[in-house]
Amino acid sequence: MNRLTLILVALAISFQVAAQERERTPIGGRPNIPGDFFLDFGFNVLNNRPDDLGTRFFASRVVNLYYQPSLNLGKNSGFTFNPGLGFGLEKLAFQDRQTLVPNLAVSPESSQLVPISSIYGDNIRVDVNTMSINYFDIPLEIRYHLNKSNYAKSVRFAIGGKFGLLYNAHTKIQVTDSDGLTQKVKNRQNYGLNPIRYGVYSRLGFPGFSLWGYYGLNGFFKEDRGPFGTNATQFNFGLSVTLF
């Protein structure tokens, strides 16, 4: 996730630099690029989870990168339809030095939560313990702009839905034993995760940035395939920067 995030952020910066260069032309104003390019930062929370499936808040992060063109719904009506494409790059960090492993008693495509010490031994220091879950997303939203004559400089409200397809999931663990030996392991598995996600989201937007939230409507794991048979769903929220 880190490499892909860096690549996407680098592309975003390149777009922003190109936009700034274009703004220096005699035409001036906002670059003549239809739609918006959003870079979202936020946090990933599991709803309706058992107490034993606790996560660390600040380490469970979200980075979304979406491009959404804008289709007017009536001249100067204030309403637009904004479909889009992009990537949802998420992390979960479990509490109490625990991680997910396949639960072979149920299925190879399932998971259970176990202490990291049960894998690498008791006399270890856990340096890194995260799980990356990456999606290809399709956001769809309706926006209402208060400034009906200049949408780009308007406060706006948006509500919509998002559909996602899981394309990568892996745990990342780094431990150091009592002899100073460091092991860094990435384990790519299915973990019983639902390959498709869908939910509703909203934005409160201002020129250049917005606040956003997403509520998942289907289970994060397949039925009876997650740890403790959980029916947990996702809740993401954070701050978004409009790059152009």
Side-chain angles (χ1 to χ4, degrees):
M1 174 178 172
N2 288 338
R3 289 183 180 178
L4 182 56
T5 302
L6 289 173
I7 292 171
L8 294 175
V9 170
L11 289 173
I13 294 173
S14 298
F15 275 119
Q16 181 71 348
V17 170
Q20 291 173 350
E21 290 296 328
R22 186 161 185 169
E23 285 179 347
R24 294 191 185 104
T25 66
I27 297 175
R30 179 177 172 169
N32 187 22
I33 302 174
D36 298 293
F37 191 51
F38 289 113
L39 183 60
D40 297 343
F41 301 96
F43 299 98
N44 192 13
V45 178
L46 293 181
N47 285 321
N48 305 316
R49 60 170 179 78
D51 291 338
D52 292 333
L53 194 62
T55 58
R56 291 176 281 138
F57 178 77
F58 289 105
S60 299
R61 302 185 296 272
V62 176
V63 175
N64 297 324
L65 197 63
Y66 297 145
Y67 172 67
Q68 294 180 254
S70 184
L71 305 175
N72 287 325
L73 299 179
K75 185 177 180 180
N76 295 329
S77 67
F79 287 98
T80 59
F81 173 57
N82 301 81
L85 296 171
F87 297 95
L89 311 177
E90 305 185 1
K91 280 190 176 182
L92 279 177
F94 297 104
Q95 294 179 350
D96 302 324
R97 303 204 305 178
Q98 298 185 94
T99 188
L100 291 184
V101 298
N103 186 355
L104 298 180
V106 175
S107 166
E109 295 187 353
S110 65
S111 62
Q112 59 182 324
L113 196 65
V114 301
I116 293 176
S117 60
S118 68
I119 304 173
Y120 297 97
D122 293 325
N123 298 320
I124 58 170
R125 183 183 74 240
V126 179
D127 303 312
V128 177
N129 176 27
T130 59
M131 179 178 184
S132 296
I133 314 104
N134 301 324
Y135 297 90
F136 175 72
D137 283 335
I138 301 176
L140 305 167
E141 68 181 55
I142 299 289
R143 297 182 195 165
Y144 178 70
H145 304 76
L146 295 183
N147 186 341
K148 297 181 181 180
S149 62
N150 191 339
Y151 291 175
K153 295 184 178 180
S154 175
V155 175
R156 56 192 179 273
F157 305 92
I159 186 168
K162 181 167 68 175
F163 301 86
L165 177 65
L166 180 70
Y167 69 87
N168 176 272
H170 65 267
T171 57
K172 180 179 178 181
I173 296 174
Q174 180 175 310
V175 298
T176 303
D177 64 19
S178 57
D179 296 323
L181 175 65
T182 296
Q183 300 182 65
K184 185 176 182 180
V185 179
K186 287 185 179 181
N187 189 356
R188 181 173 178 175
Q189 299 282 346
N190 175 276
Y191 295 109
L193 294 169
N194 207 322
I196 296 173
R197 69 170 176 179
Y198 56 87
V200 295
Y201 76 93
S202 62
R203 291 182 186 270
L204 172 59
F206 304 88
F209 74 97
S210 60
L211 304 174
W212 62 272
Y214 165 80
Y215 186 88
L217 297 178
N218 68 322
F220 182 61
F221 295 94
K222 297 177 184 177
E223 186 175 1
D224 298 325
R225 295 297 178 91
F228 313 110
T230 181
N231 293 315
T233 59
Q234 284 186 290
F235 174 56
N236 304 157
F237 65 94
L239 176 69
S240 178
V241 178
T242 307
L243 298 177
F244 63 72

